[in-house]
């Protein structure tokens, strides 16, 4: 594959609202991003993804856009954004932003017009359907559910029609069949690219087309979570192809589309293969929930994790490129998912080694570089995420006798708010995130887990991340770590995730123990290699013997290999 700048990038995702607040209103802002660019530079990343900062009523923290050409007032102004962009570029940090194509806010001008009457010129911008009447009873146009709970339709009283909304009630879906919608989106994307951004993360990229409006087979629930009715349908590719032809291909940018759960490698390749893809990369979610129950406890399913990586990285070999990430703003913290809090530092470093030497473009999620963990939510009032809140409320409404504590328990594990708690900068009040009242609670562990203390400690998780970035981007192993082939070894071993990166005669072995016991990695698992030298490890005294590598709990070792054939 042709080399591209974004293959040589190390990304970092910023959830602005929780990153850094500079005016004490308790809400992170663009000025906060600006002030922390030096921090990111020091960490070593050369690409940032900023989540939406468009004008928005913030029902879904900015994914509900009411004006694509304005900046949300709580985040700053267009000038603040330009300042961020300018400084980032000076530091050789590229900036990508979210491109939201599937929906707008119901407060967007288009929707305000659209709802007014059946013949409003903006009516066709959204997906409207009349109610269904069955035996004199009124029903939604289909029985499909939305991602955020309940029906994917909402009735608008003005015309009595239903509009489609696969996310929250305040996020009507755009109608991509409308040429006017497509034209508006082309214009908007160009406007941001012309300002000098380096690309887009394309939100909900797989949902732009819908199946015919026919009911899904009933389950016991009134609304069926049949997401295939609005995911990965053939027309999506036509729309994205049009965007690529008209916009993306005209700039030296990168695009990474969110295709979420349910996308197969084949459909991933339809989005993002070098020959007929429309995007440069796609984010899938397959590796986000690789756990299994053992003795009533949720533990990491290491084989499943390997299976997923094998599937996607092998599937894209020679045809496309993958992004690498443990979590984004929609997922729990990786430390609480796959880490071991009894071996906090070791397991956090091991997880970083496991992921970031795989072939692909890494995206660190804010706070991951210090090992931030899930928040101990117990009450409905502690949540801020519209999706979690909806789901808990629906359970309370639909299941008589259920207590709040029970409903919280069902949804806490998957809540998107774990990722959204404030960044832990130091041990001062509110973890140094704000001097005001934070919009969402700060994790009580911030005195132990924060950026300032880890930056001072050369042995910290933070420095481990910095070293990984350095090794990947600036060391003599750069080429093999970026472009080398990826092959999993010792596949059936449930205790380690190990792989080889190979470029011509150069080979690197990456061994990661997921076990809290002492284990060994055997040379006999390799064919045609001997161990070379240790390059990098999460223990200061890792060692290798000729035939095996002893692994202490969560030991992670990167070493060179010598070729024997
Ligand atoms: C994507 C975003 C998520 C948002 C949704 C609707 O999945 O990552 O945060 O709620 O799209 O825009
Ligand atoms: Ca603020």
């Amino acid at each position: 594959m042709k080399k591209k700048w974004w293959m040589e990038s190390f990304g970092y995702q910023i959830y602005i609202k929780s990153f850094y607040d500079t005016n004490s209103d308790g809400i992170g802002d663009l000025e906060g991003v600006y002030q922390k660019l030096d921090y990111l530079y020091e960490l070593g990343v050369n690409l940032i993804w900023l989540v939406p900062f468009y004008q928005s009523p913030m029902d879904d923290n900015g994914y509900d856009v009411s004006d694509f050409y304005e900046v949300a007032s709580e985040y700053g102004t267009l000038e603040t954004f330009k300042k961020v962009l300018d400084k980032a570029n000076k530091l050789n940090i590229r900036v990508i932003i979210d491109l939201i194509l599937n929906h707008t806010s119901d407060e967007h001008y288009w929707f305000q017009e659209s709802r007014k009457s059946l013949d409003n010129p903006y009516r066709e911008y959204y997906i409207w359907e009349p109610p269904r009447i069955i035996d004199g009873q009124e029903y939604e146009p289909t029985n499909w559910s939305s991602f955020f709970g309940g029906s994917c339709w909402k009735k608008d009283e003005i015309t009595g029609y239903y509009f489609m909304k696969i996310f929250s009630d305040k996020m009507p879906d755009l109608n991509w069949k409308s040429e006017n919608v497509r034209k508006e989106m082309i214009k908007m994307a160009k406007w941001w690219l012309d300002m000098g951004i380096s690309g887009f993360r394309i939100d909900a990229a797989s949902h732009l087309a819908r199946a015919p409006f026919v009911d899904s087979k009933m389950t016991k629930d009134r609304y069926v979570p049949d997401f295939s009715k609005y995911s990965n349908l053939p027309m999506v590719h036509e729309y994205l192809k049009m965007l690529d032809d008209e916009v993306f291909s005209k700039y030296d940018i990168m695009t990474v589309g969110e295709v979420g759960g349910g996308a197969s490698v084949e459909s991933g390749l339809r989005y993002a293969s070098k020959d007929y893809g429309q995007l440069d990369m796609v984010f899938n979610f397959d590796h986000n929930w690789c756990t299994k129950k053992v003795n009533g406890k949720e533990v990491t399913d290491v084989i499943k994790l390997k299976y997923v990586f094998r599937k996607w990285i092998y599937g894209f070999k020679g045809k496309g490129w993958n992004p690498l990430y443990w979590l984004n703003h929609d997922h729990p913290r990786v430390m609480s998912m796959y880490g071991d809090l009894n071996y906090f530092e070791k397991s956090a470093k091991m997880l970083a080694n496991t992921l970031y030497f795989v072939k692909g473009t890494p995206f660190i999620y804010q706070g991951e570089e210090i090992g931030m963990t899930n928040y101990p939510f117990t009450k409905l009032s502690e949540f801020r995420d519209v999706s979690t809140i909806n789901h808990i409320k629906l359970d309370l409404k639909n299941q008589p006798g259920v207590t709040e504590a029970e409903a919280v328990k069902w949804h806490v594990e998957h809540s998107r708010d774990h990722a959204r708690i404030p960044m832990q900068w130091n041990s001062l009040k509110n973890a140094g995130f704000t001097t005001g009242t934070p919009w969402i609670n700060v994790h009580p562990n911030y005195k132990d887990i924060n950026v300032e203390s880890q930056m001072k400690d050369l042995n910290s998780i933070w420095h481990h991340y910095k070293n990984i970035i350095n090794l990947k981007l600036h060391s003599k192993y750069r080429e093999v770590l970026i472009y080398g082939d990826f092959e999993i070894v010792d596949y059936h071993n449930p205790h380690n995730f190990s792989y080889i990166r190979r470029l011509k005669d150069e080979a690197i072995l990456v061994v990661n123990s997921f076990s809290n016991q002492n284990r060994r990695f055997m040379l006999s698992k390799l064919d045609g290699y001997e161990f070379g030298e240790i390059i990098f490890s999460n223990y200061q005294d890792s060692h290798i013997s000729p035939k095996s590598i002893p692994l202490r709990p969560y030991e992670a070792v990167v070493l060179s290999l010598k070729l024997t054939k």
Side-chain angles (χ1 to χ4, degrees):
M1 281 188 70
K2 254 189 44 215
K3 295 184 175 179
K4 293 278 169 61
W5 64 264
W6 41 266
M7 298 174 176
E8 306 178 359
S9 295
F10 215 113
Y12 186 100
Q13 184 191 346
I14 299 179
Y15 198 72
I16 303 168
K17 196 166 184 180
S18 309
F19 196 53
Y20 188 51
D21 172 27
T22 57
N23 65 347
S24 305
D25 63 356
I27 298 172
D29 40 56
L30 283 168
E31 177 66 28
V33 175
Y34 176 77
Q35 291 184 19
K36 293 295 182 187
L37 281 171
D38 292 313
Y39 163 78
L40 297 168
Y41 180 76
E42 195 163 345
L43 181 62
V45 296
N46 55 6
L47 170 70
I48 54 176
W49 155 23
L50 292 177
V51 301
F53 48 85
Y54 306 100
Q55 182 182 296
S56 162
M58 298 287 165
D59 188 52
D60 190 21
N61 288 351
Y63 280 93
D64 48 321
V65 180
S66 54
D67 190 334
F68 289 105
Y69 300 92
E70 287 291 342
V71 167
S73 53
E74 52 269 70
Y75 289 165
T77 62
L78 206 52
E79 290 318 305
T80 340
F81 173 67
K82 287 185 180 158
K83 210 169 90 169
V84 170
L85 195 56
D86 205 45
K87 182 165 175 186
N89 286 341
K90 287 199 180 102
L91 295 171
N92 280 324
I93 298 175
R94 304 248 195 175
V95 178
I96 65 167
I97 67 173
D98 259 280
L99 181 63
I100 303 165
L101 303 174
N102 180 70
H103 45 266
T104 66
S105 161
D106 63 350
E107 295 179 32
H108 195 288
Y109 172 76
W110 301 338
F111 189 76
Q112 289 302 312
E113 286 297 310
S114 187
R115 71 195 297 190
K116 281 184 181 161
S117 64
L118 297 182
D119 57 4
N120 187 282
Y122 289 91
R123 188 68 173 182
E124 53 138 17
Y125 274 45
Y126 297 86
I127 302 168
W128 293 100
E129 285 291 314
R132 275 192 305 174
I133 313 289
I134 304 170
D135 296 337
Q137 270 258 60
E138 181 172 324
Y139 290 91
E140 292 88 359
T142 67
N143 65 351
W144 310 340
S145 79
S146 87
F147 288 114
F148 290 178
S151 171
C152 76
W153 298 96
K154 175 150 170 65
K155 186 169 181 180
D156 195 54
E157 293 302 339
I158 301 178
T159 57
Y161 271 45
Y162 286 78
F163 63 88
M164 197 172 190
K165 48 99 205 168
I166 61 174
F167 293 99
S168 89
D169 284 1
K170 283 183 65 60
M171 297 158 83
D173 292 343
L174 285 164
N175 173 22
W176 273 77
K177 286 186 184 160
S178 154
E179 195 185 340
N180 289 325
V181 165
R182 300 197 300 263
K183 279 195 179 143
E184 287 286 2
M185 288 310 185
I186 291 173
K187 181 173 119 200
M188 185 266 290
K190 282 186 176 161
W191 191 80
W192 286 98
L193 289 169
D194 289 337
M195 209 180 292
I197 59 166
S198 294
F200 295 115
R201 179 263 190 181
I202 299 169
D203 183 65
S206 53
H207 303 308
L208 307 183
R210 273 111 188 98
F213 297 142
V214 176
D215 270 354
S216 293
K217 258 237 227 40
M218 283 307 260
T219 55
K220 64 176 177 11
D221 298 317
R222 165 139 183 216
Y223 305 114
V224 187
D226 186 0
F227 304 138
S228 67
K229 295 287 190 234
Y230 44 78
S231 304
N232 303 308
L233 293 168
M235 272 312 280
V236 174
H237 297 284
E238 301 301 316
Y239 299 141
L240 292 174
K241 169 118 188 35
M242 183 275 300
L243 279 172
D244 189 33
D245 290 347
E246 306 268 328
V247 187
F248 306 153
S249 61
K250 300 199 184 334
Y251 298 80
D252 178 22
I253 55 162
M254 60 154 281
T255 52
V256 51
E258 182 201 31
V259 302
S264 62
V265 172
E266 291 66 41
S267 77
L269 283 168
R270 281 220 56 190
Y271 287 107
S273 61
K274 67 178 188 333
D275 295 330
Y276 77 129
Q278 306 88 44
L279 307 172
D280 293 318
M281 294 180 265
V282 286
F283 281 124
N284 75 81
F285 295 170
D286 288 1
H287 65 289
N288 295 122
W289 317 104
C290 293
T291 55
K292 59 179 178 187
K293 269 224 158 61
V294 173
N295 301 330
K297 241 188 87 193
E298 216 48 60
V299 300
T300 309
D301 187 338
V302 183
I303 305 252
K304 190 161 171 207
L305 213 46
K306 287 194 265 195
Y307 168 80
V308 167
F309 277 91
R310 188 168 76 169
K311 185 168 108 177
W312 282 92
I313 311 286
Y314 290 19
F316 270 60
K317 191 177 167 186
K319 298 183 189 150
W321 194 262
N322 293 92
L324 307 169
Y325 75 106
W326 272 137
L327 76 145
N328 64 26
H329 61 288
D330 296 330
H331 300 120
R333 293 277 169 181
V334 67
M335 273 308 287
S336 302
M337 198 75 192
Y338 302 142
D340 182 339
L341 301 182
N342 296 319
Y343 291 87
F344 176 66
E345 173 227 314
K346 291 286 183 250
S347 66
K349 291 176 176 175
M350 181 280 290
L351 287 171
N353 271 31
T354 301
L355 185 67
Y356 295 126
F357 295 121
V358 173
K359 184 174 191 168
T361 299
F363 286 87
I364 297 169
Y365 181 75
Q366 70 185 41
E368 182 196 323
E369 74 275 30
I370 52 170
M372 279 177 64
T373 59
N374 280 356
Y375 183 88
F377 294 103
T378 54
K379 293 198 283 284
L380 178 57
S381 62
E382 290 169 325
F383 292 102
R384 295 291 175 272
D385 169 23
V386 57
S387 171
T388 310
I389 293 172
N390 278 356
H391 280 114
I392 293 176
K393 284 192 177 159
L394 279 173
D395 281 348
L396 288 173
K397 190 173 123 202
N398 297 339
Q399 305 198 37
V402 162
T403 65
E404 179 181 318
E406 279 168 328
V408 166
K409 224 172 159 181
W410 293 334
H411 296 285
V412 67
E413 207 187 318
H414 281 213
S415 175
R416 311 194 297 179
D417 277 336
H418 295 297
R420 301 175 181 190
I421 56 171
M423 181 71 178
Q424 292 163 207
W425 292 106
N426 55 40
S427 58
L428 301 175
K429 195 172 163 228
N430 295 325
F433 162 69
T434 178
T435 50
T437 308
W439 70 278
I440 186 169
N441 287 352
V442 173
H443 200 297
N445 68 11
Y446 73 91
K447 291 212 162 111
D448 298 318
I449 302 176
N450 64 65
V451 169
E452 191 178 87
S453 66
Q454 293 202 22
M455 282 179 80
K456 283 192 197 134
D457 171 8
L458 285 180
N459 208 15
S460 64
I461 301 166
W462 191 86
H463 277 279
H464 192 85
Y465 269 76
K466 184 177 165 74
N467 290 337
I468 288 180
I469 299 169
N470 199 39
L471 200 59
K472 183 142 185 200
L473 299 187
H474 308 293
S475 76
K476 62 175 182 184
Y477 305 106
R478 173 186 156 95
E479 286 294 305
V480 58
L481 288 177
I482 294 175
Y483 292 107
D485 284 342
F486 167 84
E487 185 200 352
I488 295 185
V489 292
D490 202 7
Y491 181 78
H492 296 289
N493 189 326
H495 303 297
N496 79 54
F497 188 140
S498 305
Y499 53 87
I500 295 177
R501 297 297 309 278
R502 167 108 184 231
L503 191 68
K504 296 188 192 119
D505 284 350
E506 197 178 4
I508 304 243
L509 176 66
V510 184
V511 175
N512 302 290
S513 172
F514 274 73
S515 171
N516 60 3
Q517 308 288 311
N518 288 333
R519 307 269 172 193
R520 247 167 216 286
F521 179 89
M522 307 303 293
L523 179 68
S524 57
K525 298 288 171 194
L526 306 180
D527 182 20
Y529 297 103
E530 269 171 22
F531 296 142
E533 273 157 24
I534 293 183
I535 297 168
F536 186 58
S537 156
N538 63 348
Y539 278 74
Q540 271 152 333
D541 55 349
S542 289
H543 69 283
I544 39 188
S545 61
K547 299 275 177 238
S548 71
I549 306 172
L551 297 168
R552 287 159 286 182
Y554 303 103
E555 191 152 0
V557 194
V558 179
L559 61 150
S560 62
L561 290 176
K562 289 186 271 189
L563 278 57
T564 57
K565 32 181 199 197

